[in-house]
mmCIF file of all heavy atoms in Angstrom:
data_model
loop_
_atom_site.group_PDB
_atom_site.id
_atom_site.type_symbol
_atom_site.label_atom_id
_atom_site.label_comp_id
_atom_site.label_asym_id
_atom_site.label_seq_id
_atom_site.Cartn_x
_atom_site.Cartn_y
_atom_site.Cartn_z
ATOM 1 N N TRP B 48 61.076 -80.322 -7.354
ATOM 2 C CA TRP B 48 59.928 -80.915 -6.678
ATOM 3 C C TRP B 48 60.308 -81.512 -5.327
ATOM 4 O O TRP B 48 59.466 -81.567 -4.426
ATOM 5 C CB TRP B 48 59.245 -81.954 -7.562
ATOM 6 C CG TRP B 48 58.510 -81.342 -8.708
ATOM 7 C CD1 TRP B 48 58.705 -81.577 -10.026
ATOM 8 C CD2 TRP B 48 57.441 -80.368 -8.642
ATOM 9 N NE1 TRP B 48 57.849 -80.816 -10.783
ATOM 10 C CE2 TRP B 48 57.060 -80.067 -9.957
ATOM 11 C CE3 TRP B 48 56.794 -79.724 -7.597
ATOM 12 C CZ2 TRP B 48 56.053 -79.162 -10.255
ATOM 13 C CZ3 TRP B 48 55.794 -78.815 -7.898
ATOM 14 C CH2 TRP B 48 55.427 -78.546 -9.210
ATOM 15 N N SER B 49 61.549 -81.962 -5.160
ATOM 16 C CA SER B 49 61.972 -82.455 -3.843
ATOM 17 C C SER B 49 62.050 -81.321 -2.835
ATOM 18 O O SER B 49 61.840 -81.532 -1.641
ATOM 19 C CB SER B 49 63.330 -83.146 -3.946
ATOM 20 O OG SER B 49 63.242 -84.322 -4.705
ATOM 21 N N ILE B 50 62.349 -80.124 -3.302
ATOM 22 C CA ILE B 50 62.391 -78.968 -2.403
ATOM 23 C C ILE B 50 60.992 -78.409 -2.162
ATOM 24 O O ILE B 50 60.629 -78.088 -1.032
ATOM 25 C CB ILE B 50 63.336 -77.883 -2.964
ATOM 26 C CG1 ILE B 50 64.784 -78.348 -2.817
ATOM 27 C CG2 ILE B 50 63.134 -76.545 -2.273
ATOM 28 C CD1 ILE B 50 65.796 -77.436 -3.448
ATOM 29 N N HIS B 51 60.178 -78.310 -3.207
ATOM 30 C CA HIS B 51 58.870 -77.663 -3.074
ATOM 31 C C HIS B 51 57.752 -78.620 -2.659
ATOM 32 O O HIS B 51 56.788 -78.177 -2.020
ATOM 33 C CB HIS B 51 58.499 -76.962 -4.380
ATOM 34 C CG HIS B 51 59.275 -75.708 -4.612
ATOM 35 N ND1 HIS B 51 58.891 -74.492 -4.124
ATOM 36 C CD2 HIS B 51 60.445 -75.488 -5.254
ATOM 37 C CE1 HIS B 51 59.766 -73.579 -4.453
ATOM 38 N NE2 HIS B 51 60.731 -74.156 -5.147
ATOM 39 N N GLN B 52 57.842 -79.883 -3.018
ATOM 40 C CA GLN B 52 56.809 -80.860 -2.664
ATOM 41 C C GLN B 52 57.470 -82.176 -2.217
ATOM 42 O O GLN B 52 57.360 -83.202 -2.886
ATOM 43 C CB GLN B 52 55.904 -81.137 -3.872
ATOM 44 C CG GLN B 52 55.116 -79.958 -4.350
ATOM 45 C CD GLN B 52 54.047 -79.538 -3.374
ATOM 46 O OE1 GLN B 52 53.462 -80.360 -2.684
ATOM 47 N NE2 GLN B 52 53.799 -78.242 -3.300
ATOM 48 N N PRO B 53 58.149 -82.184 -1.065
ATOM 49 C CA PRO B 53 58.897 -83.385 -0.676
ATOM 50 C C PRO B 53 58.016 -84.590 -0.342
ATOM 51 O O PRO B 53 58.481 -85.717 -0.392
ATOM 52 C CB PRO B 53 59.697 -82.929 0.543
ATOM 53 C CG PRO B 53 58.956 -81.763 1.070
ATOM 54 C CD PRO B 53 58.307 -81.104 -0.115
ATOM 55 N N ARG B 54 56.759 -84.361 -0.037
ATOM 56 C CA ARG B 54 55.879 -85.497 0.261
ATOM 57 C C ARG B 54 55.308 -86.135 -0.996
ATOM 58 O O ARG B 54 54.846 -87.261 -0.968
ATOM 59 C CB ARG B 54 54.746 -85.052 1.177
ATOM 60 C CG ARG B 54 55.264 -84.702 2.549
ATOM 61 C CD ARG B 54 54.152 -84.429 3.495
ATOM 62 N NE ARG B 54 54.706 -84.109 4.807
ATOM 63 C CZ ARG B 54 53.997 -83.668 5.801
ATOM 64 N NH1 ARG B 54 52.705 -83.478 5.642
ATOM 65 N NH2 ARG B 54 54.556 -83.407 6.947
ATOM 66 N N LYS B 55 55.306 -85.398 -2.090
ATOM 67 C CA LYS B 55 54.774 -85.936 -3.345
ATOM 68 C C LYS B 55 55.863 -86.508 -4.239
ATOM 69 O O LYS B 55 55.649 -87.485 -4.939
ATOM 70 C CB LYS B 55 53.984 -84.859 -4.092
ATOM 71 C CG LYS B 55 52.712 -84.466 -3.382
ATOM 72 C CD LYS B 55 51.925 -83.470 -4.175
ATOM 73 C CE LYS B 55 50.652 -83.095 -3.412
ATOM 74 N NZ LYS B 55 49.887 -82.073 -4.109
ATOM 75 N N VAL B 56 57.000 -85.866 -4.269
ATOM 76 C CA VAL B 56 58.128 -86.329 -5.082
ATOM 77 C C VAL B 56 59.291 -86.557 -4.142
ATOM 78 O O VAL B 56 59.852 -85.617 -3.599
ATOM 79 C CB VAL B 56 58.504 -85.299 -6.161
ATOM 80 C CG1 VAL B 56 59.721 -85.763 -6.937
ATOM 81 C CG2 VAL B 56 57.337 -85.069 -7.097
ATOM 82 N N GLY B 57 59.624 -87.817 -3.967
ATOM 83 C CA GLY B 57 60.684 -88.135 -3.026
ATOM 84 C C GLY B 57 61.714 -89.066 -3.628
ATOM 85 O O GLY B 57 61.970 -89.071 -4.841
ATOM 86 N N ILE B 58 62.270 -89.879 -2.774
ATOM 87 C CA ILE B 58 63.370 -90.747 -3.149
ATOM 88 C C ILE B 58 62.908 -91.851 -4.099
ATOM 89 O O ILE B 58 63.639 -92.227 -5.017
ATOM 90 C CB ILE B 58 64.029 -91.312 -1.880
ATOM 91 C CG1 ILE B 58 64.633 -90.156 -1.084
ATOM 92 C CG2 ILE B 58 65.081 -92.341 -2.203
ATOM 93 C CD1 ILE B 58 65.119 -90.527 0.283
ATOM 94 N N GLY B 59 61.697 -92.358 -3.919
ATOM 95 C CA GLY B 59 61.183 -93.406 -4.807
ATOM 96 C C GLY B 59 61.032 -92.930 -6.247
ATOM 97 O O GLY B 59 61.391 -93.633 -7.196
ATOM 98 N N VAL B 60 60.501 -91.727 -6.408
ATOM 99 C CA VAL B 60 60.357 -91.150 -7.753
ATOM 100 C C VAL B 60 61.727 -90.907 -8.359
ATOM 101 O O VAL B 60 61.955 -91.168 -9.545
ATOM 102 C CB VAL B 60 59.528 -89.846 -7.694
ATOM 103 C CG1 VAL B 60 59.502 -89.154 -9.038
ATOM 104 C CG2 VAL B 60 58.112 -90.140 -7.219
ATOM 105 N N ALA B 61 62.670 -90.436 -7.533
ATOM 106 C CA ALA B 61 64.031 -90.190 -8.026
ATOM 107 C C ALA B 61 64.690 -91.494 -8.468
ATOM 108 O O ALA B 61 65.370 -91.539 -9.506
ATOM 109 C CB ALA B 61 64.872 -89.514 -6.942
ATOM 110 N N PHE B 62 64.485 -92.562 -7.717
ATOM 111 C CA PHE B 62 65.050 -93.864 -8.098
ATOM 112 C C PHE B 62 64.457 -94.352 -9.418
ATOM 113 O O PHE B 62 65.187 -94.818 -10.300
ATOM 114 C CB PHE B 62 64.794 -94.889 -6.981
ATOM 115 C CG PHE B 62 65.400 -96.225 -7.251
ATOM 116 C CD1 PHE B 62 66.758 -96.428 -7.085
ATOM 117 C CD2 PHE B 62 64.613 -97.283 -7.664
ATOM 118 C CE1 PHE B 62 67.326 -97.667 -7.337
ATOM 119 C CE2 PHE B 62 65.163 -98.514 -7.926
ATOM 120 C CZ PHE B 62 66.528 -98.714 -7.756
ATOM 121 N N PHE B 63 63.149 -94.207 -9.564
ATOM 122 C CA PHE B 63 62.489 -94.635 -10.804
ATOM 123 C C PHE B 63 62.978 -93.826 -12.003
ATOM 124 O O PHE B 63 63.276 -94.388 -13.065
ATOM 125 C CB PHE B 63 60.964 -94.504 -10.653
ATOM 126 C CG PHE B 63 60.206 -94.854 -11.894
ATOM 127 C CD1 PHE B 63 60.102 -96.161 -12.314
ATOM 128 C CD2 PHE B 63 59.607 -93.855 -12.652
ATOM 129 C CE1 PHE B 63 59.413 -96.486 -13.472
ATOM 130 C CE2 PHE B 63 58.917 -94.162 -13.806
ATOM 131 C CZ PHE B 63 58.818 -95.489 -14.215
ATOM 132 N N MET B 64 63.070 -92.519 -11.846
ATOM 133 C CA MET B 64 63.561 -91.683 -12.939
ATOM 134 C C MET B 64 65.030 -92.006 -13.250
ATOM 135 O O MET B 64 65.447 -91.970 -14.411
ATOM 136 C CB MET B 64 63.416 -90.197 -12.596
ATOM 137 C CG MET B 64 61.979 -89.719 -12.458
ATOM 138 S SD MET B 64 60.978 -89.939 -13.919
ATOM 139 C CE MET B 64 61.681 -88.759 -15.022
ATOM 140 N N GLY B 65 65.800 -92.342 -12.226
ATOM 141 C CA GLY B 65 67.184 -92.743 -12.447
ATOM 142 C C GLY B 65 67.293 -94.034 -13.232
ATOM 143 O O GLY B 65 68.153 -94.173 -14.108
ATOM 144 N N LEU B 66 66.416 -94.988 -12.935
ATOM 145 C CA LEU B 66 66.410 -96.233 -13.711
ATOM 146 C C LEU B 66 66.029 -95.971 -15.162
ATOM 147 O O LEU B 66 66.609 -96.566 -16.077
ATOM 148 C CB LEU B 66 65.461 -97.251 -13.088
ATOM 149 C CG LEU B 66 65.933 -97.928 -11.805
ATOM 150 C CD1 LEU B 66 64.868 -98.879 -11.283
ATOM 151 C CD2 LEU B 66 67.243 -98.661 -12.024
ATOM 152 N N LEU B 67 65.058 -95.087 -15.385
ATOM 153 C CA LEU B 67 64.691 -94.734 -16.762
ATOM 154 C C LEU B 67 65.873 -94.111 -17.500
ATOM 155 O O LEU B 67 66.131 -94.427 -18.667
ATOM 156 C CB LEU B 67 63.503 -93.774 -16.776
ATOM 157 C CG LEU B 67 62.135 -94.347 -16.448
ATOM 158 C CD1 LEU B 67 61.091 -93.237 -16.431
ATOM 159 C CD2 LEU B 67 61.751 -95.415 -17.436
ATOM 160 N N MET B 68 66.608 -93.236 -16.828
ATOM 161 C CA MET B 68 67.767 -92.609 -17.462
ATOM 162 C C MET B 68 68.892 -93.615 -17.679
ATOM 163 O O MET B 68 69.623 -93.533 -18.672
ATOM 164 C CB MET B 68 68.266 -91.430 -16.627
ATOM 165 C CG MET B 68 67.395 -90.204 -16.698
ATOM 166 S SD MET B 68 67.078 -89.619 -18.365
ATOM 167 C CE MET B 68 68.710 -89.257 -18.924
ATOM 168 N N ASP B 69 69.040 -94.585 -16.772
ATOM 169 C CA ASP B 69 70.045 -95.634 -16.971
ATOM 170 C C ASP B 69 69.746 -96.451 -18.215
ATOM 171 O O ASP B 69 70.648 -96.768 -18.998
ATOM 172 C CB ASP B 69 70.100 -96.568 -15.759
ATOM 173 C CG ASP B 69 70.802 -95.948 -14.573
ATOM 174 O OD1 ASP B 69 71.662 -95.082 -14.790
ATOM 175 O OD2 ASP B 69 70.486 -96.335 -13.438
ATOM 176 N N VAL B 70 68.482 -96.788 -18.401
ATOM 177 C CA VAL B 70 68.098 -97.552 -19.587
ATOM 178 C C VAL B 70 68.311 -96.719 -20.846
ATOM 179 O O VAL B 70 68.810 -97.213 -21.865
ATOM 180 C CB VAL B 70 66.628 -98.031 -19.472
ATOM 181 C CG1 VAL B 70 66.131 -98.615 -20.771
ATOM 182 C CG2 VAL B 70 66.503 -99.051 -18.346
ATOM 183 N N HIS B 71 67.958 -95.440 -20.785
ATOM 184 C CA HIS B 71 68.137 -94.578 -21.958
ATOM 185 C C HIS B 71 69.607 -94.388 -22.305
ATOM 186 O O HIS B 71 70.002 -94.461 -23.460
ATOM 187 C CB HIS B 71 67.484 -93.218 -21.736
ATOM 188 C CG HIS B 71 67.864 -92.221 -22.783
ATOM 189 N ND1 HIS B 71 68.862 -91.306 -22.565
ATOM 190 C CD2 HIS B 71 67.430 -92.015 -24.047
ATOM 191 C CE1 HIS B 71 69.013 -90.579 -23.657
ATOM 192 N NE2 HIS B 71 68.156 -90.985 -24.564
ATOM 193 N N ASP B 72 70.436 -94.099 -21.301
ATOM 194 C CA ASP B 72 71.844 -93.812 -21.544
ATOM 195 C C ASP B 72 72.672 -95.069 -21.797
ATOM 196 O O ASP B 72 73.828 -94.954 -22.195
ATOM 197 C CB ASP B 72 72.454 -93.060 -20.361
ATOM 198 C CG ASP B 72 71.920 -91.659 -20.220
ATOM 199 O OD1 ASP B 72 71.367 -91.129 -21.208
ATOM 200 O OD2 ASP B 72 72.048 -91.088 -19.119
ATOM 201 N N ALA B 73 72.104 -96.251 -21.529
ATOM 202 C CA ALA B 73 72.819 -97.526 -21.638
ATOM 203 C C ALA B 73 74.071 -97.513 -20.762
ATOM 204 O O ALA B 73 75.119 -98.017 -21.135
ATOM 205 C CB ALA B 73 73.155 -97.845 -23.087
ATOM 206 N N THR B 74 73.956 -96.903 -19.593
ATOM 207 C CA THR B 74 75.060 -96.882 -18.640
ATOM 208 C C THR B 74 74.886 -98.051 -17.684
ATOM 209 O O THR B 74 73.959 -98.861 -17.804
ATOM 210 C CB THR B 74 75.078 -95.563 -17.850
ATOM 211 O OG1 THR B 74 73.827 -95.410 -17.176
ATOM 212 C CG2 THR B 74 75.326 -94.382 -18.749
ATOM 213 N N LEU B 75 75.782 -98.134 -16.744
ATOM 214 C CA LEU B 75 75.700 -99.163 -15.727
ATOM 215 C C LEU B 75 74.369 -99.015 -14.984
ATOM 216 O O LEU B 75 74.034 -97.922 -14.516
ATOM 217 C CB LEU B 75 76.873 -99.005 -14.757
ATOM 218 C CG LEU B 75 77.002 -100.056 -13.666
ATOM 219 C CD1 LEU B 75 77.280 -101.426 -14.290
ATOM 220 C CD2 LEU B 75 78.098 -99.673 -12.713
ATOM 221 N N LEU B 76 73.605 -100.090 -14.916
ATOM 222 C CA LEU B 76 72.276 -100.019 -14.308
ATOM 223 C C LEU B 76 72.404 -99.630 -12.837
ATOM 224 O O LEU B 76 73.041 -100.323 -12.049
ATOM 225 C CB LEU B 76 71.546 -101.347 -14.446
ATOM 226 C CG LEU B 76 70.076 -101.333 -14.061
ATOM 227 C CD1 LEU B 76 69.298 -100.419 -14.997
ATOM 228 C CD2 LEU B 76 69.491 -102.718 -14.106
ATOM 229 N N GLY B 77 71.829 -98.509 -12.483
ATOM 230 C CA GLY B 77 71.850 -98.011 -11.120
ATOM 231 C C GLY B 77 72.720 -96.787 -10.934
ATOM 232 O O GLY B 77 72.687 -96.165 -9.865
ATOM 233 N N GLU B 78 73.499 -96.415 -11.947
ATOM 234 C CA GLU B 78 74.372 -95.243 -11.824
ATOM 235 C C GLU B 78 73.553 -93.975 -11.636
ATOM 236 O O GLU B 78 73.743 -93.229 -10.665
ATOM 237 C CB GLU B 78 75.249 -95.121 -13.067
ATOM 238 C CG GLU B 78 76.119 -93.901 -13.090
ATOM 239 C CD GLU B 78 76.882 -93.776 -14.394
ATOM 240 O OE1 GLU B 78 77.202 -94.796 -15.006
ATOM 241 O OE2 GLU B 78 77.139 -92.625 -14.783
ATOM 242 N N ASN B 79 72.641 -93.715 -12.547
ATOM 243 C CA ASN B 79 71.779 -92.542 -12.422
ATOM 244 C C ASN B 79 70.788 -92.714 -11.279
ATOM 245 O O ASN B 79 70.427 -91.726 -10.616
ATOM 246 C CB ASN B 79 71.031 -92.272 -13.723
ATOM 247 C CG ASN B 79 71.935 -91.708 -14.793
ATOM 248 O OD1 ASN B 79 72.731 -90.830 -14.530
ATOM 249 N ND2 ASN B 79 71.803 -92.223 -16.000
ATOM 250 N N ALA B 80 70.338 -93.939 -11.046
ATOM 251 C CA ALA B 80 69.385 -94.180 -9.966
ATOM 252 C C ALA B 80 70.007 -93.819 -8.618
ATOM 253 O O ALA B 80 69.367 -93.168 -7.786
ATOM 254 C CB ALA B 80 68.933 -95.639 -9.975
ATOM 255 N N LEU B 81 71.252 -94.220 -8.402
ATOM 256 C CA LEU B 81 71.927 -93.875 -7.152
ATOM 257 C C LEU B 81 72.144 -92.373 -7.032
ATOM 258 O O LEU B 81 71.859 -91.777 -5.986
ATOM 259 C CB LEU B 81 73.268 -94.605 -7.051
ATOM 260 C CG LEU B 81 74.130 -94.241 -5.843
ATOM 261 C CD1 LEU B 81 73.444 -94.674 -4.558
ATOM 262 C CD2 LEU B 81 75.499 -94.869 -5.966
ATOM 263 N N SER B 82 72.617 -91.752 -8.101
ATOM 264 C CA SER B 82 72.906 -90.314 -8.019
ATOM 265 C C SER B 82 71.628 -89.499 -7.863
ATOM 266 O O SER B 82 71.597 -88.537 -7.087
ATOM 267 C CB SER B 82 73.698 -89.856 -9.238
ATOM 268 O OG SER B 82 72.963 -90.035 -10.409
ATOM 269 N N TYR B 83 70.543 -89.860 -8.551
ATOM 270 C CA TYR B 83 69.279 -89.137 -8.389
ATOM 271 C C TYR B 83 68.684 -89.357 -7.005
ATOM 272 O O TYR B 83 68.069 -88.457 -6.434
ATOM 273 C CB TYR B 83 68.267 -89.565 -9.445
ATOM 274 C CG TYR B 83 68.527 -89.038 -10.836
ATOM 275 C CD1 TYR B 83 67.781 -89.505 -11.919
ATOM 276 C CD2 TYR B 83 69.500 -88.094 -11.094
ATOM 277 C CE1 TYR B 83 68.002 -89.037 -13.194
ATOM 278 C CE2 TYR B 83 69.732 -87.618 -12.364
ATOM 279 C CZ TYR B 83 68.979 -88.091 -13.414
ATOM 280 O OH TYR B 83 69.201 -87.623 -14.674
ATOM 281 N N THR B 84 68.858 -90.565 -6.467
ATOM 282 C CA THR B 84 68.343 -90.850 -5.125
ATOM 283 C C THR B 84 69.068 -90.004 -4.084
ATOM 284 O O THR B 84 68.438 -89.418 -3.201
ATOM 285 C CB THR B 84 68.497 -92.344 -4.808
ATOM 286 O OG1 THR B 84 67.805 -93.106 -5.793
ATOM 287 C CG2 THR B 84 67.932 -92.686 -3.455
ATOM 288 N N LEU B 85 70.385 -89.932 -4.189
ATOM 289 C CA LEU B 85 71.142 -89.083 -3.262
ATOM 290 C C LEU B 85 70.793 -87.613 -3.447
ATOM 291 O O LEU B 85 70.680 -86.863 -2.467
ATOM 292 C CB LEU B 85 72.640 -89.300 -3.460
ATOM 293 C CG LEU B 85 73.186 -90.646 -2.998
ATOM 294 C CD1 LEU B 85 74.638 -90.798 -3.412
ATOM 295 C CD2 LEU B 85 73.034 -90.796 -1.494
ATOM 296 N N LEU B 86 70.618 -87.210 -4.686
ATOM 297 C CA LEU B 86 70.230 -85.827 -4.984
ATOM 298 C C LEU B 86 68.900 -85.490 -4.323
ATOM 299 O O LEU B 86 68.760 -84.456 -3.659
ATOM 300 C CB LEU B 86 70.137 -85.637 -6.493
ATOM 301 C CG LEU B 86 69.705 -84.280 -7.007
ATOM 302 C CD1 LEU B 86 70.807 -83.264 -6.798
ATOM 303 C CD2 LEU B 86 69.342 -84.375 -8.471
ATOM 304 N N SER B 87 67.926 -86.369 -4.470
ATOM 305 C CA SER B 87 66.611 -86.137 -3.880
ATOM 306 C C SER B 87 66.678 -86.157 -2.354
ATOM 307 O O SER B 87 66.041 -85.331 -1.683
ATOM 308 C CB SER B 87 65.632 -87.189 -4.386
ATOM 309 O OG SER B 87 64.372 -87.006 -3.810
#
Side-chain angles (χ1 to χ4, degrees):
W48 289 122
S49 293
I50 288 174
H51 286 273
Q52 296 291 326
R54 292 187 179 171
K55 292 183 180 177
V56 177
I58 296 171
V60 173
F62 183 77
F63 177 72
M64 294 301 290
L66 286 178
L67 286 177
M68 286 306 299
D69 285 333
V70 170
H71 169 262
D72 291 341
T74 58
L75 184 64
L76 190 64
E78 176 185 330
N79 287 316
L81 175 65
S82 63
Y83 286 171
T84 302
L85 290 173
L86 178 72
S87 179

